[in-house]
DNA sequence: TGACAAATCTAGTAACTTGTTTTATATTAT
DNA sequence: ATAATATAAAACAAGTTACTAGATTTGTCA
């Protein structure tokens, strides 16, 4: 949803055509190394925004070559954008993938958990090196925001590394425990708990 | 991709039908509060895995109720699974959404950046409280892995909170800088400006 | 006590949304 | 010729909403 809302935001700032939106988006994130937004995604997202009535075609310039369709945000789009600004971002479980690998390697015996930890650690160190290089190439006088973006990535990578150390330290303990399996839940209607008496609803009255 | 590979891993452990896979997946992550995998996603993922030849239908049981189609992993599926185990997890830009909101609020003036920071901070504290509660309800003697999973989430949330503080401390500085946005260029290859003479790269030498 | 309503679990399907990539095509400046 | 601008069609991938339908258990009322 971030691309969709970001395009909406950029159109709120100024009406633009597709390729211009892409350039602005990439510039906002400090280049293609940070977020390589494909041109095609801009156009698919734009057409979906137009279908939802959040943007509309304002004009189509044609000076010899292909048409440049300028898009503008609509009042409904501005409302949607405000909604996005006002709502917090919830965490996703993107981060759980390494955990899944570890647990499944223990469960299936198809891989060595220590090897997984090593591979992941090496990758995190490489990512940390790359982003630190980019961070140090960023001019704080011109692109302070992008510098802070890199800082966020660095902080996350450092947290991941510390977590890997924690896991490695307790891996033998985890090995001794069985893989968490589903507990058979009680079937059927749950018994009435005294704590939570049902409110007698008028709608429940029999005809 | 994690759901896809996790289902593959669970099938490597044991052949199962769709609903059983869902239960095992949810149990592995410590309940629906941590990852509420929708049944529909299991079945769509399974059919894509079957189409790719990574799993196959082993049998269809019917005991009174609806049919239970048992899936099994294929040799190609085992190979794919090993590949997943061996490759590191790369960071995604899921985390950049708050950054986008901040930069766009500054660019468009459609929202107050301080308000965004406040909202996000409140949400992070709530998430931190929730996961800490779940963590403390986890028995380390039985579910050490799930405890470590919660620790990972906590470490990420704490990093996010520290980052918000960093940003807030420098928000006035960021405000003074223009939003990084490229000029809309004319179509075709941009002309070489006299101000910015191209560095003669060896690669550019005409053959 | 027996019929029945209520609640929940099991198992799966259909349709849709969103994100992203692939591929194709045309234009224009150097 | 090549590199950059500019757009579109088609398709794939991931995930959600909403739904069907039977099975199981409990509560309630006549």
């Amino acid at each position: 949803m971030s691309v969709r809302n970001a395009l909406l935001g950029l159109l709120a700032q100024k009406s633009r055509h597709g390729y211009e939106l892409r350039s602005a988006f990439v510039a906002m994130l400090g280049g293609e190394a940070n977020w390589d937004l494909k041109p095609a995604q801009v156009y698919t997202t734009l057409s979906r925004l137009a279908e939802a009535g959040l943007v509309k075609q304002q004009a189509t310039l044609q000076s010899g070559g292909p048409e440049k369709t300028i898009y503008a945000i609509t009042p409904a789009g501005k409302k949607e954008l405000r909604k996005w600004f006002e709502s917090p971002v919830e965490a996703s479980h993107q981060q759980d993938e390494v955990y899944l690998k570890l647990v499944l390697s223990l469960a299936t015996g198809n891989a060595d958990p220590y090897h997984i930890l090593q591979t992941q650690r090496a990758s995190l160190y490489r990512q940390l090196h790359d982003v630190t290089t980019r961070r140090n190439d960023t001019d704080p006088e011109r692109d302070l925001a992008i510098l802070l973006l890199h800082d966020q990535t660095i902080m996350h990578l450092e947290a991941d590394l510390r977590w890997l150390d924690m896991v490695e330290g307790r891996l033998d303990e985890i090995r001794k425990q069985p893989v968490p399996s589903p507990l058979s839940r009680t079937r059927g209607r749950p018994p009435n708990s005294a704590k939570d008496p049902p409110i007698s609803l008028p709608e429940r009255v029999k005809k």
PDB file of all heavy atoms in Angstrom, chain D residues 12-23:
ATOM      1  P    DC D  12       0.417 -16.380 -16.141  1.00  0.00           P
ATOM      2  OP1  DC D  12       0.845 -17.590 -16.847  1.00  0.00           O
ATOM      3  OP2  DC D  12      -0.981 -16.204 -15.703  1.00  0.00           O
ATOM      4  O5'  DC D  12       1.343 -16.197 -14.858  1.00  0.00           O
ATOM      5  C5'  DC D  12       2.640 -15.643 -15.003  1.00  0.00           C
ATOM      6  C4'  DC D  12       3.063 -15.040 -13.689  1.00  0.00           C
ATOM      7  O4'  DC D  12       2.383 -13.779 -13.485  1.00  0.00           O
ATOM      8  C3'  DC D  12       2.712 -15.910 -12.467  1.00  0.00           C
ATOM      9  O3'  DC D  12       3.859 -15.937 -11.647  1.00  0.00           O
ATOM     10  C2'  DC D  12       1.553 -15.160 -11.812  1.00  0.00           C
ATOM     11  C1'  DC D  12       1.937 -13.729 -12.144  1.00  0.00           C
ATOM     12  N1   DC D  12       0.849 -12.711 -12.070  1.00  0.00           N
ATOM     13  C2   DC D  12       1.068 -11.575 -11.286  1.00  0.00           C
ATOM     14  O2   DC D  12       2.129 -11.461 -10.666  1.00  0.00           O
ATOM     15  N3   DC D  12       0.099 -10.624 -11.219  1.00  0.00           N
ATOM     16  C4   DC D  12      -1.032 -10.770 -11.913  1.00  0.00           C
ATOM     17  N4   DC D  12      -1.947  -9.809 -11.816  1.00  0.00           N
ATOM     18  C5   DC D  12      -1.265 -11.920 -12.729  1.00  0.00           C
ATOM     19  C6   DC D  12      -0.304 -12.852 -12.780  1.00  0.00           C
ATOM     20  P    DA D  13       4.034 -17.060 -10.532  1.00  0.00           P
ATOM     21  OP1  DA D  13       5.375 -17.641 -10.701  1.00  0.00           O
ATOM     22  OP2  DA D  13       2.831 -17.914 -10.539  1.00  0.00           O
ATOM     23  O5'  DA D  13       4.043 -16.234  -9.177  1.00  0.00           O
ATOM     24  C5'  DA D  13       4.674 -14.974  -9.113  1.00  0.00           C
ATOM     25  C4'  DA D  13       4.327 -14.325  -7.790  1.00  0.00           C
ATOM     26  O4'  DA D  13       3.204 -13.433  -7.971  1.00  0.00           O
ATOM     27  C3'  DA D  13       3.921 -15.303  -6.686  1.00  0.00           C
ATOM     28  O3'  DA D  13       4.613 -14.916  -5.520  1.00  0.00           O
ATOM     29  C2'  DA D  13       2.400 -15.162  -6.594  1.00  0.00           C
ATOM     30  C1'  DA D  13       2.203 -13.710  -7.005  1.00  0.00           C
ATOM     31  N9   DA D  13       0.940 -13.376  -7.650  1.00  0.00           N
ATOM     32  C8   DA D  13       0.281 -14.073  -8.634  1.00  0.00           C
ATOM     33  N7   DA D  13      -0.827 -13.493  -9.036  1.00  0.00           N
ATOM     34  C5   DA D  13      -0.904 -12.345  -8.263  1.00  0.00           C
ATOM     35  C6   DA D  13      -1.846 -11.301  -8.216  1.00  0.00           C
ATOM     36  N6   DA D  13      -2.926 -11.253  -8.980  1.00  0.00           N
ATOM     37  N1   DA D  13      -1.618 -10.310  -7.334  1.00  0.00           N
ATOM     38  C2   DA D  13      -0.519 -10.356  -6.569  1.00  0.00           C
ATOM     39  N3   DA D  13       0.432 -11.282  -6.531  1.00  0.00           N
ATOM     40  C4   DA D  13       0.176 -12.258  -7.415  1.00  0.00           C
ATOM     41  P    DA D  14       4.511 -15.746  -4.173  1.00  0.00           P
ATOM     42  OP1  DA D  14       5.822 -15.703  -3.523  1.00  0.00           O
ATOM     43  OP2  DA D  14       3.852 -17.028  -4.472  1.00  0.00           O
ATOM     44  O5'  DA D  14       3.527 -14.828  -3.329  1.00  0.00           O
ATOM     45  C5'  DA D  14       3.869 -13.460  -3.151  1.00  0.00           C
ATOM     46  C4'  DA D  14       2.795 -12.790  -2.343  1.00  0.00           C
ATOM     47  O4'  DA D  14       1.653 -12.546  -3.195  1.00  0.00           O
ATOM     48  C3'  DA D  14       2.295 -13.617  -1.160  1.00  0.00           C
ATOM     49  O3'  DA D  14       2.352 -12.777  -0.022  1.00  0.00           O
ATOM     50  C2'  DA D  14       0.862 -14.005  -1.548  1.00  0.00           C
ATOM     51  C1'  DA D  14       0.478 -12.866  -2.486  1.00  0.00           C
ATOM     52  N9   DA D  14      -0.521 -13.183  -3.500  1.00  0.00           N
ATOM     53  C8   DA D  14      -0.593 -14.292  -4.292  1.00  0.00           C
ATOM     54  N7   DA D  14      -1.605 -14.279  -5.134  1.00  0.00           N
ATOM     55  C5   DA D  14      -2.240 -13.073  -4.864  1.00  0.00           C
ATOM     56  C6   DA D  14      -3.377 -12.464  -5.414  1.00  0.00           C
ATOM     57  N6   DA D  14      -4.117 -13.010  -6.385  1.00  0.00           N
ATOM     58  N1   DA D  14      -3.744 -11.256  -4.926  1.00  0.00           N
ATOM     59  C2   DA D  14      -3.002 -10.708  -3.952  1.00  0.00           C
ATOM     60  N3   DA D  14      -1.910 -11.187  -3.359  1.00  0.00           N
ATOM     61  C4   DA D  14      -1.577 -12.384  -3.871  1.00  0.00           C
ATOM     62  P    DG D  15       2.024 -13.365   1.422  1.00  0.00           P
ATOM     63  OP1  DG D  15       2.861 -12.648   2.386  1.00  0.00           O
ATOM     64  OP2  DG D  15       2.031 -14.839   1.351  1.00  0.00           O
ATOM     65  O5'  DG D  15       0.521 -12.876   1.638  1.00  0.00           O
ATOM     66  C5'  DG D  15       0.237 -11.480   1.527  1.00  0.00           C
ATOM     67  C4'  DG D  15      -1.254 -11.289   1.438  1.00  0.00           C
ATOM     68  O4'  DG D  15      -1.735 -11.789   0.167  1.00  0.00           O
ATOM     69  C3'  DG D  15      -2.064 -12.037   2.502  1.00  0.00           C
ATOM     70  O3'  DG D  15      -2.628 -11.109   3.404  1.00  0.00           O
ATOM     71  C2'  DG D  15      -3.135 -12.791   1.717  1.00  0.00           C
ATOM     72  C1'  DG D  15      -3.082 -12.115   0.362  1.00  0.00           C
ATOM     73  N9   DG D  15      -3.521 -12.992  -0.715  1.00  0.00           N
ATOM     74  C8   DG D  15      -2.985 -14.198  -1.114  1.00  0.00           C
ATOM     75  N7   DG D  15      -3.634 -14.743  -2.106  1.00  0.00           N
ATOM     76  C5   DG D  15      -4.650 -13.851  -2.373  1.00  0.00           C
ATOM     77  C6   DG D  15      -5.687 -13.900  -3.353  1.00  0.00           C
ATOM     78  O6   DG D  15      -5.907 -14.775  -4.185  1.00  0.00           O
ATOM     79  N1   DG D  15      -6.501 -12.778  -3.281  1.00  0.00           N
ATOM     80  C2   DG D  15      -6.358 -11.740  -2.393  1.00  0.00           C
ATOM     81  N2   DG D  15      -7.242 -10.746  -2.465  1.00  0.00           N
ATOM     82  N3   DG D  15      -5.403 -11.676  -1.483  1.00  0.00           N
ATOM     83  C4   DG D  15      -4.589 -12.761  -1.529  1.00  0.00           C
ATOM     84  P    DT D  16      -3.645 -11.555   4.575  1.00  0.00           P
ATOM     85  OP1  DT D  16      -3.326 -10.767   5.760  1.00  0.00           O
ATOM     86  OP2  DT D  16      -3.700 -13.041   4.642  1.00  0.00           O
ATOM     87  O5'  DT D  16      -5.042 -11.042   4.009  1.00  0.00           O
ATOM     88  C5'  DT D  16      -5.114  -9.735   3.433  1.00  0.00           C
ATOM     89  C4'  DT D  16      -6.546  -9.433   3.022  1.00  0.00           C
ATOM     90  O4'  DT D  16      -6.841 -10.163   1.794  1.00  0.00           O
ATOM     91  C3'  DT D  16      -7.581  -9.896   4.057  1.00  0.00           C
ATOM     92  O3'  DT D  16      -8.501  -8.826   4.289  1.00  0.00           O
ATOM     93  C2'  DT D  16      -8.241 -11.112   3.419  1.00  0.00           C
ATOM     94  C1'  DT D  16      -8.069 -10.850   1.933  1.00  0.00           C
ATOM     95  N1   DT D  16      -7.954 -12.100   1.129  1.00  0.00           N
ATOM     96  C2   DT D  16      -8.823 -12.319   0.093  1.00  0.00           C
ATOM     97  O2   DT D  16      -9.702 -11.534  -0.215  1.00  0.00           O
ATOM     98  N3   DT D  16      -8.633 -13.510  -0.574  1.00  0.00           N
ATOM     99  C4   DT D  16      -7.683 -14.469  -0.311  1.00  0.00           C
ATOM    100  O4   DT D  16      -7.616 -15.497  -0.979  1.00  0.00           O
ATOM    101  C5   DT D  16      -6.806 -14.183   0.787  1.00  0.00           C
ATOM    102  C7   DT D  16      -5.741 -15.157   1.154  1.00  0.00           C
ATOM    103  C6   DT D  16      -6.982 -13.026   1.443  1.00  0.00           C
ATOM    104  P    DT D  17      -9.624  -9.017   5.433  1.00  0.00           P
ATOM    105  OP1  DT D  17      -9.625  -7.744   6.172  1.00  0.00           O
ATOM    106  OP2  DT D  17      -9.406 -10.291   6.144  1.00  0.00           O
ATOM    107  O5'  DT D  17     -11.000  -9.144   4.643  1.00  0.00           O
ATOM    108  C5'  DT D  17     -11.078  -8.660   3.307  1.00  0.00           C
ATOM    109  C4'  DT D  17     -12.470  -8.926   2.747  1.00  0.00           C
ATOM    110  O4'  DT D  17     -12.391 -10.056   1.831  1.00  0.00           O
ATOM    111  C3'  DT D  17     -13.555  -9.294   3.766  1.00  0.00           C
ATOM    112  O3'  DT D  17     -14.774  -8.662   3.373  1.00  0.00           O
ATOM    113  C2'  DT D  17     -13.617 -10.815   3.698  1.00  0.00           C
ATOM    114  C1'  DT D  17     -13.243 -11.094   2.250  1.00  0.00           C
ATOM    115  N1   DT D  17     -12.484 -12.356   2.027  1.00  0.00           N
ATOM    116  C2   DT D  17     -12.794 -13.127   0.923  1.00  0.00           C
ATOM    117  O2   DT D  17     -13.665 -12.828   0.137  1.00  0.00           O
ATOM    118  N3   DT D  17     -12.036 -14.270   0.785  1.00  0.00           N
ATOM    119  C4   DT D  17     -11.025 -14.697   1.622  1.00  0.00           C
ATOM    120  O4   DT D  17     -10.427 -15.735   1.384  1.00  0.00           O
ATOM    121  C5   DT D  17     -10.746 -13.842   2.755  1.00  0.00           C
ATOM    122  C7   DT D  17      -9.661 -14.225   3.713  1.00  0.00           C
ATOM    123  C6   DT D  17     -11.483 -12.725   2.899  1.00  0.00           C
ATOM    124  P    DA D  18     -16.082  -8.859   4.316  1.00  0.00           P
ATOM    125  OP1  DA D  18     -16.884  -7.617   4.160  1.00  0.00           O
ATOM    126  OP2  DA D  18     -15.704  -9.336   5.668  1.00  0.00           O
ATOM    127  O5'  DA D  18     -16.840 -10.033   3.566  1.00  0.00           O
ATOM    128  C5'  DA D  18     -16.865 -10.067   2.134  1.00  0.00           C
ATOM    129  C4'  DA D  18     -17.492 -11.365   1.685  1.00  0.00           C
ATOM    130  O4'  DA D  18     -16.464 -12.395   1.591  1.00  0.00           O
ATOM    131  C3'  DA D  18     -18.556 -11.902   2.643  1.00  0.00           C
ATOM    132  O3'  DA D  18     -19.716 -12.211   1.895  1.00  0.00           O
ATOM    133  C2'  DA D  18     -17.927 -13.158   3.253  1.00  0.00           C
ATOM    134  C1'  DA D  18     -16.985 -13.596   2.134  1.00  0.00           C
ATOM    135  N9   DA D  18     -15.870 -14.422   2.574  1.00  0.00           N
ATOM    136  C8   DA D  18     -15.061 -14.245   3.666  1.00  0.00           C
ATOM    137  N7   DA D  18     -14.135 -15.162   3.815  1.00  0.00           N
ATOM    138  C5   DA D  18     -14.353 -16.011   2.737  1.00  0.00           C
ATOM    139  C6   DA D  18     -13.707 -17.198   2.317  1.00  0.00           C
ATOM    140  N6   DA D  18     -12.673 -17.737   2.960  1.00  0.00           N
ATOM    141  N1   DA D  18     -14.178 -17.797   1.197  1.00  0.00           N
ATOM    142  C2   DA D  18     -15.224 -17.245   0.559  1.00  0.00           C
ATOM    143  N3   DA D  18     -15.904 -16.142   0.855  1.00  0.00           N
ATOM    144  C4   DA D  18     -15.419 -15.567   1.968  1.00  0.00           C
ATOM    145  P    DC D  19     -21.069 -12.597   2.692  1.00  0.00           P
ATOM    146  OP1  DC D  19     -22.173 -11.935   1.965  1.00  0.00           O
ATOM    147  OP2  DC D  19     -20.877 -12.370   4.145  1.00  0.00           O
ATOM    148  O5'  DC D  19     -21.168 -14.165   2.440  1.00  0.00           O
ATOM    149  C5'  DC D  19     -21.143 -14.639   1.082  1.00  0.00           C
ATOM    150  C4'  DC D  19     -20.692 -16.068   1.033  1.00  0.00           C
ATOM    151  O4'  DC D  19     -19.379 -16.194   1.607  1.00  0.00           O
ATOM    152  C3'  DC D  19     -21.522 -17.056   1.837  1.00  0.00           C
ATOM    153  O3'  DC D  19     -22.598 -17.515   1.050  1.00  0.00           O
ATOM    154  C2'  DC D  19     -20.517 -18.175   2.153  1.00  0.00           C
ATOM    155  C1'  DC D  19     -19.170 -17.587   1.773  1.00  0.00           C
ATOM    156  N1   DC D  19     -18.095 -17.819   2.796  1.00  0.00           N
ATOM    157  C2   DC D  19     -17.242 -18.906   2.627  1.00  0.00           C
ATOM    158  O2   DC D  19     -17.388 -19.637   1.646  1.00  0.00           O
ATOM    159  N3   DC D  19     -16.267 -19.143   3.541  1.00  0.00           N
ATOM    160  C4   DC D  19     -16.137 -18.334   4.598  1.00  0.00           C
ATOM    161  N4   DC D  19     -15.169 -18.585   5.461  1.00  0.00           N
ATOM    162  C5   DC D  19     -16.995 -17.206   4.788  1.00  0.00           C
ATOM    163  C6   DC D  19     -17.962 -16.994   3.874  1.00  0.00           C
ATOM    164  P    DT D  20     -23.727 -18.471   1.698  1.00  0.00           P
ATOM    165  OP1  DT D  20     -24.919 -18.298   0.864  1.00  0.00           O
ATOM    166  OP2  DT D  20     -23.786 -18.231   3.157  1.00  0.00           O
ATOM    167  O5'  DT D  20     -23.159 -19.954   1.473  1.00  0.00           O
ATOM    168  C5'  DT D  20     -22.584 -20.343   0.221  1.00  0.00           C
ATOM    169  C4'  DT D  20     -22.097 -21.779   0.337  1.00  0.00           C
ATOM    170  O4'  DT D  20     -20.837 -21.802   1.055  1.00  0.00           O
ATOM    171  C3'  DT D  20     -23.048 -22.702   1.090  1.00  0.00           C
ATOM    172  O3'  DT D  20     -23.236 -23.894   0.344  1.00  0.00           O
ATOM    173  C2'  DT D  20     -22.331 -22.969   2.416  1.00  0.00           C
ATOM    174  C1'  DT D  20     -20.869 -22.820   2.028  1.00  0.00           C
ATOM    175  N1   DT D  20     -19.970 -22.413   3.142  1.00  0.00           N
ATOM    176  C2   DT D  20     -18.853 -23.190   3.423  1.00  0.00           C
ATOM    177  O2   DT D  20     -18.573 -24.197   2.821  1.00  0.00           O
ATOM    178  N3   DT D  20     -18.083 -22.720   4.472  1.00  0.00           N
ATOM    179  C4   DT D  20     -18.305 -21.596   5.224  1.00  0.00           C
ATOM    180  O4   DT D  20     -17.550 -21.272   6.134  1.00  0.00           O
ATOM    181  C5   DT D  20     -19.490 -20.827   4.879  1.00  0.00           C
ATOM    182  C7   DT D  20     -19.827 -19.599   5.652  1.00  0.00           C
ATOM    183  C6   DT D  20     -20.253 -21.273   3.866  1.00  0.00           C
ATOM    184  P    DA D  21     -24.542 -24.780   0.608  1.00  0.00           P
ATOM    185  OP1  DA D  21     -24.984 -25.240  -0.734  1.00  0.00           O
ATOM    186  OP2  DA D  21     -25.471 -24.048   1.492  1.00  0.00           O
ATOM    187  O5'  DA D  21     -24.020 -26.020   1.426  1.00  0.00           O
ATOM    188  C5'  DA D  21     -22.695 -26.509   1.248  1.00  0.00           C
ATOM    189  C4'  DA D  21     -22.295 -27.333   2.442  1.00  0.00           C
ATOM    190  O4'  DA D  21     -21.358 -26.571   3.264  1.00  0.00           O
ATOM    191  C3'  DA D  21     -23.451 -27.694   3.398  1.00  0.00           C
ATOM    192  O3'  DA D  21     -23.336 -29.062   3.722  1.00  0.00           O
ATOM    193  C2'  DA D  21     -23.210 -26.822   4.612  1.00  0.00           C
ATOM    194  C1'  DA D  21     -21.684 -26.782   4.612  1.00  0.00           C
ATOM    195  N9   DA D  21     -21.111 -25.715   5.437  1.00  0.00           N
ATOM    196  C8   DA D  21     -21.607 -24.464   5.681  1.00  0.00           C
ATOM    197  N7   DA D  21     -20.865 -23.742   6.485  1.00  0.00           N
ATOM    198  C5   DA D  21     -19.802 -24.576   6.790  1.00  0.00           C
ATOM    199  C6   DA D  21     -18.669 -24.406   7.603  1.00  0.00           C
ATOM    200  N6   DA D  21     -18.411 -23.290   8.280  1.00  0.00           N
ATOM    201  N1   DA D  21     -17.813 -25.444   7.701  1.00  0.00           N
ATOM    202  C2   DA D  21     -18.086 -26.565   7.028  1.00  0.00           C
ATOM    203  N3   DA D  21     -19.110 -26.843   6.225  1.00  0.00           N
ATOM    204  C4   DA D  21     -19.948 -25.796   6.153  1.00  0.00           C
ATOM    205  P    DG D  22     -24.609 -29.835   4.310  1.00  0.00           P
ATOM    206  OP1  DG D  22     -25.274 -30.541   3.197  1.00  0.00           O
ATOM    207  OP2  DG D  22     -25.387 -28.915   5.175  1.00  0.00           O
ATOM    208  O5'  DG D  22     -23.905 -30.920   5.238  1.00  0.00           O
ATOM    209  C5'  DG D  22     -22.765 -31.614   4.752  1.00  0.00           C
ATOM    210  C4'  DG D  22     -21.766 -31.818   5.879  1.00  0.00           C
ATOM    211  O4'  DG D  22     -21.282 -30.526   6.338  1.00  0.00           O
ATOM    212  C3'  DG D  22     -22.344 -32.521   7.123  1.00  0.00           C
ATOM    213  O3'  DG D  22     -21.447 -33.545   7.503  1.00  0.00           O
ATOM    214  C2'  DG D  22     -22.413 -31.411   8.178  1.00  0.00           C
ATOM    215  C1'  DG D  22     -21.275 -30.502   7.751  1.00  0.00           C
ATOM    216  N9   DG D  22     -21.428 -29.122   8.190  1.00  0.00           N
ATOM    217  C8   DG D  22     -22.418 -28.234   7.819  1.00  0.00           C
ATOM    218  N7   DG D  22     -22.282 -27.062   8.383  1.00  0.00           N
ATOM    219  C5   DG D  22     -21.138 -27.181   9.160  1.00  0.00           C
ATOM    220  C6   DG D  22     -20.498 -26.224  10.000  1.00  0.00           C
ATOM    221  O6   DG D  22     -20.825 -25.057  10.238  1.00  0.00           O
ATOM    222  N1   DG D  22     -19.354 -26.752  10.613  1.00  0.00           N
ATOM    223  C2   DG D  22     -18.901 -28.027  10.428  1.00  0.00           C
ATOM    224  N2   DG D  22     -17.796 -28.373  11.092  1.00  0.00           N
ATOM    225  N3   DG D  22     -19.481 -28.935   9.652  1.00  0.00           N
ATOM    226  C4   DG D  22     -20.600 -28.436   9.046  1.00  0.00           C
ATOM    227  P    DA D  23     -21.810 -34.498   8.695  1.00  0.00           P
ATOM    228  OP1  DA D  23     -21.264 -35.837   8.371  1.00  0.00           O
ATOM    229  OP2  DA D  23     -23.246 -34.339   9.031  1.00  0.00           O
ATOM    230  O5'  DA D  23     -20.957 -33.878   9.872  1.00  0.00           O
ATOM    231  C5'  DA D  23     -19.539 -33.863   9.756  1.00  0.00           C
ATOM    232  C4'  DA D  23     -18.926 -33.553  11.107  1.00  0.00           C
ATOM    233  O4'  DA D  23     -19.124 -32.145  11.402  1.00  0.00           O
ATOM    234  C3'  DA D  23     -19.560 -34.321  12.285  1.00  0.00           C
ATOM    235  O3'  DA D  23     -18.500 -34.747  13.132  1.00  0.00           O
ATOM    236  C2'  DA D  23     -20.473 -33.301  12.947  1.00  0.00           C
ATOM    237  C1'  DA D  23     -19.766 -31.982  12.650  1.00  0.00           C
ATOM    238  N9   DA D  23     -20.642 -30.816  12.503  1.00  0.00           N
ATOM    239  C8   DA D  23     -21.764 -30.718  11.727  1.00  0.00           C
ATOM    240  N7   DA D  23     -22.343 -29.527  11.774  1.00  0.00           N
ATOM    241  C5   DA D  23     -21.539 -28.801  12.642  1.00  0.00           C
ATOM    242  C6   DA D  23     -21.615 -27.487  13.105  1.00  0.00           C
ATOM    243  N6   DA D  23     -22.561 -26.618  12.755  1.00  0.00           N
ATOM    244  N1   DA D  23     -20.654 -27.072  13.972  1.00  0.00           N
ATOM    245  C2   DA D  23     -19.698 -27.946  14.316  1.00  0.00           C
ATOM    246  N3   DA D  23     -19.521 -29.216  13.937  1.00  0.00           N
ATOM    247  C4   DA D  23     -20.487 -29.583  13.089  1.00  0.00           C
TER     248       DA D  23
END
